[in-house]
Amino acid sequence: QVQLVESGGGLVQAGGSLRLSCAASGSIFSISAMGWYRQAPGKQRELVAVIISGGSTNYADSVKGRFTISRDNAKNTVSLQMNGLKPEDTAVYYCNALLTRNSAWRSETFWGQGTQVTVSS
């Protein structure tokens, strides 16, 4: 009953920008944190950026200064503004949320379906 829906992926040239968005819907009581992961072919999934309910953020070293994560708590939405894209940013980007469902006492992790980001040289 809970789902994360992503949008905004696409093909851009190196140096370009993209903005990814993810909306959480369903019977959600609260969201503790939301973040973005990415996975390139043949590689492990890695954390890109995360934002917690209090507004604190954390970024992978490889994207610091280029990517910005933001959150709209009222709409249960998280966005990732990606500037100065590089070919090595090419990957499937996944939205992730640590949330508590209605009538639940524990938090759970949910994943979006992933959206492809391709950066050409």
Side-chain angles (χ1 to χ4, degrees):
Q1 64 186 68
V2 173
Q3 62 178 349
L4 308 180
V5 180
E6 298 160 287
S7 62
L11 172 65
V12 297
Q13 292 188 343
S17 298
L18 282 174
R19 184 177 179 87
L20 306 182
S21 296
C22 172
S25 63
S27 300
I28 300 170
F29 178 75
S30 64
I31 299 179
S32 299
M34 300 187 76
W36 291 92
Y37 289 73
R38 67 186 181 186
Q39 187 169 23
K43 296 184 178 180
Q44 297 293 316
R45 189 172 299 186
E46 64 175 347
L47 177 67
V48 177
V50 63
I51 183 167
I52 63 175
S53 60
S56 297
T57 59
N58 191 42
Y59 298 89
D61 289 340
S62 60
V63 307
K64 287 181 179 177
R66 300 188 297 121
F67 292 8
T68 302
I69 189 169
S70 60
R71 179 178 173 183
D72 186 335
N73 291 333
K75 297 181 178 180
N76 290 336
T77 300
V78 65
S79 297
L80 185 69
Q81 179 66 46
M82 304 185 293
N83 299 325
L85 284 163
K86 304 175 181 180
E88 50 263 44
D89 294 319
T90 296
V92 177
Y93 284 70
Y94 296 90
C95 179
N96 174 265
L98 178 63
L99 59 84
T100 302
R101 293 182 291 168
N102 286 336
S103 302
W105 289 101
R106 66 182 182 91
S107 297
E108 302 171 87
T109 297
F110 289 85
W111 292 92
Q113 79 286 351
T115 184
Q116 178 70 47
V117 172
T118 302
V119 184
S120 62
S121 60

